[in-house]
């Protein structure tokens, strides 16, 4: 009778330990997933910020290009030269082309930066999901193990 009671107590303790460990491991998996999702949201904000910074830099290039063109027109006018023909027109066109090239480079850099952030974020989130899945599987295995220990006791 005492041996049976001890056996039942041991089995109950084994099941209870398995259930507690299952709960803790499951909570770790859920926490890891929540943190990965929060990090993903933060990374998306960083990617959008990279695009916004690129847009701001482009606006600065455009502003500077307009200032340069205005200076070229004023300089030509001060010398009595038409700025819409001949070599002055060619100089203005070259300045515009340089500004456009700068804009394209800035836009490309911002897009590449954002893509890099998003790609790394995707990899990190995928890894976090795999770890969480493994933790859930381990939690189930622990729960089953506790049950098997109780059955064999």
């Amino acid at each position: 009778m005492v041996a049976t009671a001890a056996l039942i107590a041991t089995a109950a303790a084994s099941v209870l330990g398995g259930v507690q460990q299952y709960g803790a491991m499951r909570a770790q998996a859920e926490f890891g997933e929540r943190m990965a999702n929060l990090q993903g949201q933060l990374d998306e904000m960083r990617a959008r910020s990279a695009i916004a910074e690129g847009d701001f830099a482009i606006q600065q290039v455009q502003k500077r290009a307009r200032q340069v063109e205005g200076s070229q027109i004023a300089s030509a006018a001060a010398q009595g030269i038409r700025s819409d023909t001949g070599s002055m027109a060619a100089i203005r066109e070259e300045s515009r082309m340089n500004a456009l090239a700068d804009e394209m480079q800035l836009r490309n850099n911002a897009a590449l930066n954002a893509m890099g952030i998003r790609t790394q974020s995707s990899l990190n989130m995928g890894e976090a999901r795999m770890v969480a899945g493994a933790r859930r599987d381990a939690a189930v295995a622990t729960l089953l193990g506790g049950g098997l220990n109780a059955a064999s006791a």
Side-chain angles (χ1 to χ4, degrees), residues 25 41 53 64 70 84 91 127 130 143:
M25 293 172 89
Q41 291 172 2
E53 288 172 15
R64 180 69 183 133
D84 59 347
I91 291 170
E127 181 180 358
M130 286 191 299
L143 186 59

Side-chain angles (χ1 to χ4, degrees), residues 4-136:
T4 303
L7 207 56
I8 290 172
T10 301
S14 180
V15 168
L16 181 61
V19 168
Q20 288 175 337
Q21 203 169 11
Y22 168 81
M25 293 172 89
R26 182 92 180 168
Q28 277 183 327
E30 290 170 1
F31 177 78
E33 280 186 308
R34 282 194 309 273
M35 290 300 103
N37 287 334
L38 287 173
Q39 186 62 48
Q41 291 172 2
L42 178 63
D43 289 340
E44 180 57 29
M45 289 171 30
R46 286 180 47 227
R48 288 181 183 183
S49 178
I51 296 293
E53 288 172 15
D55 289 343
F56 180 76
I58 288 168
Q59 290 172 356
Q60 296 304 307
V61 165
Q62 290 169 341
K63 180 180 176 182
R64 180 69 183 133
R66 287 189 301 272
Q67 290 171 341
V68 166
E69 185 173 19
S71 293
Q72 289 169 338
I73 291 169
S75 176
Q79 297 174 36
I81 302 171
R82 289 185 55 165
S83 63
D84 59 347
T85 61
S87 60
M88 275 309 295
I91 291 170
R92 286 179 54 209
E93 183 61 24
E94 182 179 354
S95 295
R96 277 194 292 268
M97 289 291 115
N98 288 338
L100 284 174
D102 289 346
E103 288 176 39
M104 288 177 18
Q105 185 66 50
L106 289 168
R107 187 170 282 112
N108 187 54
N109 289 347
L112 288 174
N113 191 8
M115 184 175 72
I117 291 167
R118 288 178 175 133
T119 300
Q120 188 61 51
S121 178
S122 179
L123 291 170
N124 292 343
M125 289 178 69
E127 181 180 358
R129 284 188 195 106
M130 286 191 299
V131 168
R135 285 181 178 157
R136 275 192 294 277

